[in-house]
């Protein structure tokens, strides 16, 4: 991104902060949550708010905001991409750049479980709340739900997610829940259990949160320990589900092939992918995004 564009955003934030709310009010809302393919294709960029900046071998890949915005603008301009997931700071920059018209906008809600901390499982709601998402006219609120059977801090996170589901449903906004069964490894690092059994358990817990599931969708990893694993995962609930991208894979083509198979299942409604598409090994964001869209 040019220095002029960054300077314009900064000057707007200094002299006309009210322009952000005005841009949100003027944003052209999407006619449907699903794009022209009949699926949802969302670019995720809420990692920095948790201090998770790594993409591939670069530990600070997502730390340059101008470069991240450049990559996001390219990704959002590609045919078939109809959504973005981020925290307020990133979404507001995109609003000021005029990049969110006709897009499904997903506000990231709980970012308090900072990566690598002893309190990571205590994932407090430090980002959007339901009222903020509604006031900005956004379509969805996303929450991360990591369930560590050995950590009592899981309980308040479960409760907070249940309340958020209720608050979003009252406003007829979609709650997008990303659940995992998690554990601490021998080095004390929080890991997600991506076995079929663990992901099925996480689905059943997340699906039951709140007073209603009418506005609840799930954001799920693709399991590969069982040939029929994703069929079993998606059979655990009737809630619409989108597939997440996760870390930048060593073999992006293999990841694309996995997504293609799972997207044939009836409750698989699309992709929510961030670093895999924004920071592909060859640096070609447009090509990576177009490949992902072709799977839909």
């Amino acid at each position: 991104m040019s220095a002029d564009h960054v300077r314009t955003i900064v000057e707007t934030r200094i002299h006309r902060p009210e322009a952000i709310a005005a841009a949100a009010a003027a944003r052209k809302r999407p006619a449907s949550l699903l794009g022209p393919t009949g699926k949802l294709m969302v670019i995720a960029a809420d990692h920095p708010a948790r201090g998770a900046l790594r993409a591939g071998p670069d530990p600070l890949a997502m730390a340059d905001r101008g470069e991240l915005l450049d990559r996001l603008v390219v990704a959002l301009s590609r045919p078939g991409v109809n959504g973005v997931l981020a925290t307020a700071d990133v979404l507001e920059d995109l609003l000021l750049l005029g990049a969110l018209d006709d897009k499904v906008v997903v506000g990231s809600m709980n970012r308090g479980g900072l990566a690598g901390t002893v309190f990571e499982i205590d994932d407090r709601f430090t980002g959007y709340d339901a009222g903020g998402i509604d006031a900005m006219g956004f379509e969805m609120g996303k929450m991360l739900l990591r369930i560590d059977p050995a950590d009592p801090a899981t309980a308040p996170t479960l409760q907070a997610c249940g309340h958020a589901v209720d608050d979003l449903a009252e406003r007829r906004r979609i709650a997008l829940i990303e659940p995992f069964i998690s554990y601490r490894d021998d080095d004390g690092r929080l890991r997600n259990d991506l076995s079929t059994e663990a992901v099925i358990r996480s689905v059943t817990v997340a699906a039951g949160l709140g007073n209603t599931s009418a506005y609840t969708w799930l954001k799920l990893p693709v399991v590969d320990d069982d040939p029929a694993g994703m069929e079993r995962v998606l059979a655990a609930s009737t809630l619409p589900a989108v597939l997440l991208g996760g870390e930048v894979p060593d073999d992006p083509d293999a990841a694309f092939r996995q997504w293609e198979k799972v997207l044939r299942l009836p409750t698989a409604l699309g992709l929510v992918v961030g670093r895999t598409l924004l920071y592909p090994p060859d640096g070609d964001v447009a090509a990576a995004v177009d490949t992902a869209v072709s799977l839909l």
Side-chain angles (χ1 to χ4, degrees):
M1 175 163 292
S2 73
D4 287 342
H5 283 120
V6 172
R7 187 177 299 111
T8 297
I9 292 173
V10 173
E11 289 179 352
T12 300
R13 288 182 173 278
I14 294 170
H15 301 295
R16 295 189 301 112
E18 69 279 2
I20 292 171
R27 178 179 73 97
K28 186 178 179 182
R29 299 277 299 276
S32 169
L33 294 176
L34 305 180
T37 62
K39 302 283 188 180
L40 182 65
M41 179 69 219
V42 172
I43 306 298
D46 61 342
H47 313 79
R50 283 190 58 245
L53 303 172
R54 176 180 293 277
D58 186 350
L60 295 176
M62 301 189 79
D64 186 319
R65 182 52 54 87
E67 183 180 347
L68 174 59
L69 290 173
D70 261 345
R71 292 168 181 264
L72 281 167
V73 168
V74 170
L76 291 170
S77 71
R78 304 307 299 170
V81 174
N82 68 312
V84 62
L85 160 63
T87 46
D89 55 333
V90 176
L91 291 179
E92 288 168 359
D93 285 345
L94 292 171
L95 277 170
L96 293 176
L97 292 170
L100 298 186
D101 281 346
D102 293 314
K103 303 300 181 188
V104 174
V105 182
V106 188
S108 192
M109 302 178 78
N110 58 330
R111 298 279 85 189
L114 303 183
T117 61
V118 296
F119 55 86
E120 188 170 351
I121 205 70
D122 185 357
D123 213 344
R124 303 192 183 196
F125 281 65
T126 56
Y128 280 109
D129 60 16
I133 288 169
D134 189 43
M136 293 294 280
F138 297 158
E139 286 70 36
M140 296 187 180
K142 175 255 183 177
M143 62 202 79
L144 179 61
L145 175 59
R146 291 170 294 186
I147 303 163
D148 183 348
D151 193 329
T154 295
T157 302
L158 274 165
Q159 184 179 47
C161 287
H163 290 325
V165 168
D166 290 343
D167 291 343
L168 288 164
E170 286 178 6
R171 295 164 172 83
R172 297 189 178 185
R173 306 293 183 185
I174 299 297
L176 183 62
I177 307 176
E178 181 180 2
F180 293 99
I181 302 298
S182 304
Y183 64 95
R184 294 279 181 183
D185 65 16
D186 293 339
D187 296 325
R189 182 178 175 183
L190 193 65
R191 303 280 189 177
N192 296 323
D193 185 344
L194 300 182
S195 67
T196 299
E197 180 180 346
V199 177
I200 288 172
R201 288 180 60 209
S202 74
V203 166
T204 59
V205 172
L209 291 176
N211 290 316
T212 178
S213 62
Y215 295 92
T216 301
W217 290 24
L218 301 176
K219 179 174 180 267
L220 302 174
V222 175
V223 301
D224 58 7
D225 66 324
D226 175 352
M230 283 310 295
E231 291 185 35
R232 295 171 61 202
V233 166
L234 294 180
S237 165
T238 56
L239 298 185
V242 292
L243 311 179
L244 63 88
E247 299 282 352
V248 176
D250 294 330
D251 184 356
D253 289 339
F256 291 144
R257 288 193 296 271
Q258 277 190 313
W259 293 339
E260 185 176 26
K261 292 177 183 176
V262 180
L263 286 166
R264 298 170 185 163
L265 299 174
T267 56
L269 285 190
L271 297 170
V272 179
V273 186
R275 291 167 291 186
T276 300
L277 302 183
L278 292 174
Y279 296 89
D282 64 2
D284 192 338
V285 175
V289 171
D290 290 350
T291 299
V293 169
S294 73
L295 306 179
L296 305 178

